[in-house]
Amino acid sequence: MYLVADASTDAAAPAASAGSAPSLRVAPASVTYLRFDVSALPAGMVVEQATLRVRPLRVLAAGAVAAHVVSAEWQEDTLAHERRPAWDDAAIALQQVGEESADGRDVTFGVRAAVAAWLAGTANHGLALVGDGLADVDLASKENQSVSAPPRLEVVLVPAPDAP
C-alpha cells in the first residue's frame, strides 16, 4: 500500500512540524503517525493479513512500541504536538524494539483489524506508533533518500465467502 503521509510530533517542540524529516521518532516525548492509501483495495475481499513494516535507523533506548489507530484527520506538513490527533486507547499491535533492531531488519506489526475496518468503510486516519516511556527509536521516513525501506503496509486479501 502507498504511504501517503508520515510525520512525528515532539512534546519538547510543540509547535514544530517535521513532516519532511528523513526520520521518524518514537520516544517518551515523540509519537510517529503513518497513513496509507488503501483505496486501491478491491471491495468484496477479506483481509487475511496486514503487516506494517518499519525500519529502525537507530535505537537509543530499548522498549516497547505500540501501534494504535488514529481517530482524527491530520496532515503531514502541518502535524505538530500541539495539534496532534488522538488515537484509540487500545493498541492493535505491540513490538519490543532493542538495539539489535537497528541492524537493517524491519520491525513488524500485525494490523489486520485496522485495515479490515478501513476496507469496511471506517475512516482511515492512519496509525500512531507510541512508545512505552522507555523506547527511543528513529525510523526511516518516506523522505529518507539513503534508505530504501520507508514504512510500508503489506496486505493479503482473499475472496469473501459466498453468502448462503
Side-chain angles (χ1 to χ4, degrees):
M1 297 289 81
Y2 179 66
L3 177 62
V4 294
D6 63 354
S8 296
T9 63
D10 185 350
S17 176
S20 61
S23 65
L24 304 163
R25 189 110 191 241
V26 178
S30 298
V31 173
T32 286
Y33 289 81
L34 306 167
R35 189 173 58 247
F36 296 87
D37 181 0
V38 297
S39 64
L41 294 176
M45 301 293 279
V46 173
V47 179
E48 184 174 78
Q49 182 177 345
T51 304
L52 170 65
R53 294 183 175 279
V54 295
R55 176 74 47 93
L57 299 173
R58 60 186 188 147
V59 177
L60 301 168
V65 175
H68 295 261
V69 174
V70 178
S71 55
E73 289 186 31
W74 58 277
Q75 298 302 318
E76 179 181 69
D77 57 347
T78 59
L79 181 66
H81 182 76
E82 65 187 12
R83 295 182 303 278
R84 71 191 184 282
W87 55 81
D88 291 350
D89 288 336
I92 59 170
L94 181 70
Q95 281 295 339
Q96 292 295 319
V97 179
E99 290 180 18
E100 71 283 352
S101 298
D103 66 359
R105 289 181 288 165
D106 293 334
V107 173
T108 62
F109 298 86
V111 295
R112 188 193 67 73
V115 175
W118 298 333
L119 191 58
T122 300
N124 172 9
H125 301 299
L127 301 167
L129 297 181
V130 182
D132 62 358
L134 301 173
D136 192 346
V137 182
D138 286 338
L139 306 170
S141 77
K142 67 181 175 56
E143 287 80 14
N144 191 322
Q145 300 299 312
S146 65
V147 178
S148 63
R152 50 211 181 281
L153 181 62
E154 298 171 351
V155 180
V156 176
L157 300 173
V158 296
D162 291 335

